[in-house]
Amino acid sequence: MFDTLSSRLDKVFTSLRGRGRLTDADIDATAREIRVALLEADVALPVVRGFVAAVKERARGAEVSASLNPAQQVIKIVNEELVAILGGGTTTVRFAKTPPTVILLAGLQGTGKTTLAGKLGRWLKAQGHTPLLVAADLQRPNAVNQLQVVGGRAGVEVFAPEPGNGVGDPVRVARDALAHARRHVFDVVVVDTAGRLGVDEEMMRQAADIRDAVSPDEILFVLDAMIGQDAVSTAQAFADGVGFSGVVLTKLDGDARGGAALSVARVTGAPIMFASTGESLEDFDVFHPERMASRILG
Ligand code: GDP
């Protein structure tokens, strides 16, 4: 097991209890520990560098307060900086003034998009919405069927291509689904799209074509939290290829410390909106920056 940041800092600070102010040497020693802890949590290196520099700057100016020992003081600063980068508070879908609100899901294959569509459907329904899930992932042989299964479990209607009608053309499916939603008064449309195992031009083009056909109100980039250091390059590729307005982290039930969250929030500036924590529909919540900050700190 890795040392938590708290226990690391406690070790650094055992010798300096009772001092009025942190010296530069104390701050350097602290910064080293923070750096190691963040790298162990799989935060991308450039993000770690920027973060540590910001914390050092704040720690240098900070008076050591009477109520906190120096380790606690630094942890407080680190925690505040983490929460700020992770968005400060919860952010979720901005609904369109004129329904339907269109939400497009994009991300690599296997990240959990189809599962997420079901979870979002269930969540939207609980908020009083009437969502429609759209099977525009026609790449993966079982994706349409899988969406129908999760839609059934969530009690949410699924729009899938009729055999012989639009099969193989996800843009057409998405467009038809939007027309269907307007006719049948669905107020939120969640479009599942195809991913590939790696970043791929054809996949990006297809997602961008669907985007252009349905003008989504939100594009959610779905990111597997286990991806670690690759979070930055993958997020950047999707930001350039499709663009996105929010992030969903999946597989947070795994043992990843969540560094990917910090990396993607820092590099893209997009808010992390939701967290997926398992395979069943209930394993889902809005994203809470403070909880993630605690997880990254260990
Ligand atoms: P897609 O290719 O992006 O549509 O991904 P899927 O929705 O098919 O998910 C891929 C696999 O990951 C499936 O076996 C899901 O059950 C599983 N999965 C999805 N979300 C989570 C999650 O939050 N935690 C865990 N442990 N598994 C997940």
Side-chain angles (χ1 to χ4, degrees), residues 108-116 119 137 140 146 192 250-253 276-279 283:
L108 295 180
Q109 185 179 320
T111 50
K113 287 181 300 301
T114 305
T115 311
L116 173 70
K119 291 176 176 193
D137 176 357
R140 203 154 53 81
Q146 191 189 337
D192 187 21
T250 62
K251 311 204 183 170
L252 282 168
D253 50 316
S276 173
T277 51
E279 298 195 61
D283 302 327

Side-chain angles (χ1 to χ4, degrees), residues 246-280:
V247 178
V248 181
L249 280 179
T250 62
K251 311 204 183 170
L252 282 168
D253 50 316
D255 56 9
R257 286 274 298 284
L262 194 69
S263 303
V264 74
R266 179 60 139 198
V267 169
T268 69
I272 303 173
M273 294 188 177
F274 299 102
S276 173
T277 51
E279 298 195 61
S280 69

